Amino acid sequence: MNNTTIGETNDSIKKCPVMHGGMTATGSTVMDWWPEALNLDILHQHDTKTNPMGEEFNYREEVKKLDFKALKADLIAFMTDSQSWWPADWGHYGGLMIRMSWHAAGSYRIADGRGGASTGNQRFAPLNSWPDNANLDKARRLLWPIKRKYGNRLSWADLFVLAGTVAYESMGLKTYGFAFGREDIWHPEKDVYWGAEKEWLAPSDERYENVDEAESMENPLAAVQMGLIYVNPEGVNGKPDPLKTAAHVRETFARMAMNDEETVALAAGGHTVGKCHGNGSAEALGPEPEAAGIEEQGLGWMNHDSRSVGRDTVTSGIEGAWTTHPTKWDNGYFHLLLNYEWELTTSPAGAEQWQPIGIKEEDMPVDVEDPSKRTMPVMTDADMAMKMDPQYREISERFYRDHEYFSDVFARAWFKLTHRDLGPKVRYIGPEVPEESLIWQDPIPAGTTDYDVDALKSKIANAGLSVGEMVATAWDSARTFRGSDLRGGANGARIRLAPQKDWHGNEPERLNKVLNVLTPLAQDAGASLADTIVLAGNVGIERAIAAAGFDVPVTFSPGRGDATDDMTDAESFKPLEPLADGYRNYLQKTYAVKPEEMMLDKTQLLGLTAKEMTVLVGGMRMLGTNFAGTQHGVFTNNVGALTTDFFVTVTDMALSWKPVSDNLYSVRSRDTGQEVFTATRFDLVFGSNSVLRAYAELYAQDDNREKFVKDFVAAWVKVMEADRFDLTC
């Protein structure tokens, strides 16, 4: 194989007499034959085996030791330290760094809280190779000397966001603040659904019921095409039409938790600095980083046929700056957008873009390398939407008239964009953390810890609530937690507030009954209702443990607070509503996605493993927590006792499983044909999936009854304390 070229490698491998022992490439896996099988790997990513830092390393403690002042000074100096291998436009890297920060944070979407900048995921596939992230690999390489210098005290995730924030400051913007605390992952994320398309930039139609109805985009997606952060800058499906683009911009930014004013501010503020690059042939670019040859050393989009840097760079294919002074924070964007008429043209790379008619020479930006030359400014179709859409136009004019107001709105929107997935304010670290509490941070007042927990437990135990009522209410309060953006959870007791109190899956009538019992008990004890709800769940579980013949305490940590309506953005909590909850055997309606897949997705968001999912589902069936009191999956005659009966039944070969409807099965005796139990797909998957059955068999063993109880308690406490950042920060 000595003379084999890169392009011939795959064919040559087939011909060479070489032993290939391991599955060393991602093109095939042992599960390729069964594409519908549950991907349990999403529950077991980012474990200790992939993390080189070891279990003793605590980034949150290390970053507190960082010399914040020195780091910031280094970043400011870096902005104008142009490197010949990738020179800075106008001698300033600000535009490139801002684009990197923006695209790291801008992948966030509210539907499932995934994406965003908090993990440093832009280092890995697919984000490192998205077409919309072209040449951001150069931005990360330029930052390597700074990362190397500050080492373990500075995560890539923090650096990505900080670099863009400092870039804005270096160009004149008064930023709102910055918080450290983002911890790096070490391999590509396996849980994020980016769309079903198999080709980059496939037509938008593939993720819409009707591409002309922006709101019909498939959930949880926010970007309009595979490989884009937001919208196609050339127009819907690459066809310029600012009003159609405006509708897509509005929907996309709404799915990122941004309103119209924030959207215009971000669009304008992002394009106040920097430029697009399309001065050359896109055909000359090599493959993206994940597909590039080994000699490229992790870089992609390399052009070895031309100069390919500076004014000759090709990235998006659009060419030009949006403002007269692209390294200065000013109101130049609105000046050009609103004061000139614009016409369609094409870039040297063939991209659709808009240029001003009859522009004055003094309004033209200078060349990125030669200040004696003037160049034509540019607007994308998304920029033209800021002018042509009536609502966006009104906001744009207001910003144009009041630059100070625009700057403040942008600074706040930028902070929101880059911190949305960092979690509550208690997780923020560093000297520039704003003192102001913002409603999108889901603020929760500090709770008390000095009340008599045992006395409150005793009163709860004698309050007349059933095991199922107590456990289900505690679960419903905590299950909203999402490890993706660290929202939701039991802390705050928002289950008693709109919209959660009225969610169908929370059984409002049952919920109201339990809250009416627990609220006065909490008040009398001087405890928060949030604490009392969780404590009641623990009381129910301890009662069930005793009924099973064991004595295993359930750990409880007081200190949760009670949020108020004024602290709660009700609209933003709607995406947290459970459409399905396999743990309580709840399915709001029939969906295209299988029930067990929805359970798996929720399990990943809760931060649970497959083992923890197994013990929680099997245990909660025994506790009588099913939605509306159904008996599906309640494989026991001893409801209220934390036994292993669920697993014994699931693995019992004396039983057969017969479909009744889409999500209902009859469990029958093989000998008599008589129905013994009923079940759903949420239940059957623990007997059908080979991995989950292995766990079910483990807990069905006679010698693992106590192990099951202990494992259930550990998993339960993990869920109840998932949002207790006050205990770890």
Side-chain angles (χ1 to χ4, degrees):
M1 296 183 63
N2 293 347
N3 297 320
T4 302
T5 66
I6 294 173
E8 298 169 338
T9 298
N10 289 338
D11 289 339
S12 298
I13 287 174
K14 298 174 184 177
K15 300 173 184 177
C16 288
V18 177
M19 179 64 74
H20 297 279
M23 300 287 281
T24 55
T26 58
S28 60
T29 72
V30 296
M31 297 304 293
D32 283 351
W33 289 283
W34 307 280
E36 297 299 313
L38 286 180
N39 180 20
L40 294 169
D41 286 349
I42 70 172
L43 307 183
H44 305 131
Q45 52 185 331
H46 315 309
D47 68 2
T48 56
K49 290 183 178 179
T50 64
N51 191 335
M53 302 308 299
E55 295 185 31
E56 299 301 316
F57 178 76
N58 186 327
Y59 176 65
R60 296 189 58 80
E61 292 304 316
E62 287 300 309
V63 75
K64 294 175 184 176
K65 305 172 186 175
L66 187 65
D67 188 335
F68 301 107
K69 187 176 181 180
L71 170 60
K72 195 167 183 178
D74 283 348
L75 279 171
I76 291 174
F78 154 83
M79 295 297 166
T80 52
D81 185 18
S82 186
Q83 303 296 308
S84 60
W85 68 269
W86 198 261
D89 294 335
W90 305 284
H92 200 297
Y93 284 120
L96 179 62
M97 295 299 124
I98 287 165
R99 178 168 166 258
M100 177 194 64
S101 298
W102 187 296
H103 284 218
S107 58
Y108 173 80
R109 66 275 183 109
I110 60 173
D112 60 6
R114 294 186 172 100
S118 64
T119 62
N121 56 7
Q122 198 184 80
R123 294 189 295 160
F124 303 113
L127 298 178
N128 71 339
S129 294
W130 272 12
D132 217 5
N133 287 338
N135 288 329
L136 291 181
D137 51 344
K138 316 314 189 291
R140 297 189 292 273
R141 279 306 163 86
L142 287 166
L143 284 172
W144 167 239
I146 289 177
K147 176 65 173 81
R148 180 182 178 184
K149 176 180 178 178
Y150 291 96
N152 296 333
R153 295 180 178 181
L154 175 64
S155 69
W156 277 111
D158 276 341
L159 181 56
F160 290 164
V161 178
L162 181 63
T165 303
V166 172
Y168 271 120
E169 289 189 11
S170 72
M171 292 186 285
L173 173 70
K174 182 181 179 181
T175 59
Y176 181 73
F178 180 83
F180 293 86
R182 303 165 185 81
E183 189 166 0
D184 290 332
I185 57 174
W186 292 94
H187 63 74
E189 295 165 307
K190 301 178 180 181
D191 58 288
V192 187
Y193 173 71
W194 296 115
E197 301 92 338
K198 301 302 181 184
E199 78 174 284
W200 296 123
L201 305 180
S204 294
D205 309 67
E206 297 189 23
R207 55 180 59 194
Y208 291 83
E209 291 182 16
N210 182 349
V211 75
D212 292 328
E213 298 175 2
E215 64 278 5
S216 71
M217 187 196 307
E218 179 186 3
N219 268 315
L221 304 177
V224 305
Q225 288 177 273
M226 173 65 78
L228 293 182
I229 298 294
Y230 301 120
V231 301
N232 190 324
E234 298 180 64
V236 179
N237 282 330
K239 299 177 181 178
D241 186 332
L243 289 178
K244 282 189 175 182
T245 295
H248 281 242
V249 169
R250 180 168 282 110
E251 181 64 24
T252 288
F253 274 74
R255 293 187 179 210
M256 288 185 50
M258 300 294 175
N259 61 30
D260 275 3
E261 189 173 62
E262 291 167 327
T263 299
V264 176
L266 287 169
H271 292 173
T272 293
V273 298
K275 71 181 291 284
C276 296
H277 299 84
N279 191 24
S281 172
E283 300 300 320
L285 297 181
E288 66 274 13
E290 287 297 314
I294 198 169
E295 71 279 5
E296 302 292 5
Q297 289 291 279
L299 294 179
W301 305 286
M302 299 299 289
N303 183 351
H304 298 295
D305 296 335
S306 69
R307 181 169 173 266
S308 74
V309 298
R311 70 168 67 92
D312 300 314
T313 304
V314 176
T315 299
S316 68
I318 295 172
E319 170 60 28
W322 296 270
T323 65
T324 310
H325 306 289
T327 62
K328 180 181 178 182
W329 178 260
D330 60 17
N331 232 1
Y333 176 87
F334 294 117
H335 171 71
L336 295 185
L337 179 68
L338 299 175
N339 289 328
Y340 286 100
E341 295 301 316
W342 296 77
E343 61 182 357
L344 270 173
T345 185
T346 55
S347 74
E352 299 274 7
Q353 60 187 57
W354 296 78
Q355 70 177 24
I357 300 172
I359 187 169
K360 299 175 182 177
E361 184 176 355
E362 64 263 27
D363 282 340
M364 300 172 69
V366 300
D367 181 77
V368 298
E369 297 178 78
D370 186 352
S372 68
K373 297 179 180 178
R374 295 276 181 170
T375 61
M376 187 66 71
V378 66
M379 292 289 167
T380 70
D381 212 57
D383 295 306
M384 295 305 297
M386 302 298 112
K387 178 174 183 172
M388 303 304 292
D389 178 87
Q391 288 81 22
Y392 287 160
R393 174 74 182 239
E394 182 181 347
I395 297 168
S396 294
E397 290 179 344
R398 182 163 62 250
F399 285 160
Y400 185 36
R401 292 191 301 269
D402 191 341
H403 180 62
E404 184 175 347
Y405 178 67
F406 163 57
S407 297
D408 181 66
V409 174
F410 174 80
R412 288 170 172 270
W414 175 260
F415 182 81
K416 180 180 179 179
L417 173 75
T418 54
H419 292 75
R420 180 77 186 190
D421 65 335
L422 187 54
K425 190 175 172 181
V426 69
R427 300 190 71 249
Y428 291 12
I429 297 170
E432 296 186 9
V433 174
E435 292 186 8
E436 182 182 5
S437 291
L438 305 166
I439 196 163
W440 58 263
Q441 297 171 324
D442 301 335
I444 300 170
T448 59
T449 60
D450 58 352
Y451 60 91
D452 191 329
V453 174
D454 290 335
L456 181 55
K457 282 182 68 175
S458 179
K459 290 181 179 180
I460 293 170
N462 295 315
L465 296 172
S466 70
V467 168
E469 289 171 331
M470 290 187 287
V471 174
T473 302
W475 178 263
D476 290 354
S477 184
R479 69 179 171 189
T480 53
F481 177 76
R482 305 192 306 195
S484 53
D485 57 359
L486 308 181
R487 299 191 71 208
N491 199 2
R494 285 191 167 93
I495 195 171
R496 79 196 195 284
L497 307 176
Q500 297 189 37
K501 65 182 181 64
D502 300 313
W503 285 348
H504 182 255
N506 284 346
E507 297 180 280
E509 186 175 345
R510 184 263 309 160
L511 173 62
N512 190 56
K513 172 191 173 182
V514 174
L515 293 181
N516 283 339
V517 172
L518 296 182
T519 299
L521 298 182
Q523 293 171 344
D524 291 344
S528 67
L529 183 58
D531 265 356
T532 305
I533 290 170
V534 173
L535 189 59
N538 290 6
V539 168
I541 291 169
E542 289 181 349
R543 185 183 295 173
I545 293 171
F550 299 102
D551 182 14
V552 178
V554 183
T555 304
F556 175 76
S557 299
R560 297 170 183 82
D562 291 337
T564 64
D565 285 314
D566 291 342
M567 300 173 180
T568 303
D569 182 3
E571 184 73 21
S572 76
F573 276 90
K574 288 183 179 180
L576 275 66
E577 180 179 1
L579 304 179
D581 183 359
Y583 294 86
R584 292 193 58 217
N585 228 329
Y586 169 69
L587 189 66
Q588 192 173 104
K589 61 181 181 181
T590 301
Y591 299 94
V593 180
K594 296 184 181 71
E596 62 270 27
E597 292 177 291
M598 299 181 77
M599 177 171 65
L600 180 64
D601 181 70
K602 182 58 191 174
T603 297
Q604 194 279 328
L605 289 172
L606 283 170
L608 299 172
T609 65
K611 183 200 81 170
E612 291 165 335
M613 176 177 72
T614 302
V615 295
L616 283 170
V617 170
M620 289 180 67
R621 292 291 188 274
M622 301 300 97
L623 302 181
T625 61
N626 271 6
F627 176 82
T630 69
Q631 294 302 299
H632 308 319
V634 184
F635 304 147
T636 187
N637 295 318
N638 191 19
V639 175
L642 193 57
T643 66
T644 58
D645 289 359
F646 176 87
F647 306 109
V648 171
T649 300
V650 162
T651 57
D652 190 351
M653 291 307 299
L655 301 173
S656 63
W657 311 77
K658 306 295 183 183
V660 177
S661 61
D662 286 343
N663 190 39
L664 183 61
Y665 295 79
S666 176
V667 186
R668 301 179 182 181
S669 166
R670 291 185 186 272
D671 292 338
T672 67
Q674 183 178 357
E675 182 174 278
V676 182
F677 301 110
T678 57
T680 69
R681 296 185 68 92
F682 292 128
D683 307 306
L684 267 64
V685 71
F686 292 95
S688 65
N689 180 274
S690 59
V691 175
L692 296 181
R693 187 177 183 94
Y695 289 124
E697 290 173 344
L698 173 72
Y699 292 111
Q701 293 175 190
D702 293 341
D703 62 346
N704 279 335
R705 292 168 183 165
E706 186 173 13
K707 172 179 171 57
F708 163 68
V709 170
K710 291 180 178 179
D711 290 354
F712 178 92
V713 168
W716 173 265
V717 173
K718 182 177 179 177
V719 174
M720 293 301 118
E721 294 188 353
D723 63 341
R724 291 298 306 278
F725 306 111
D726 56 309
L727 300 177
T728 57
C729 293

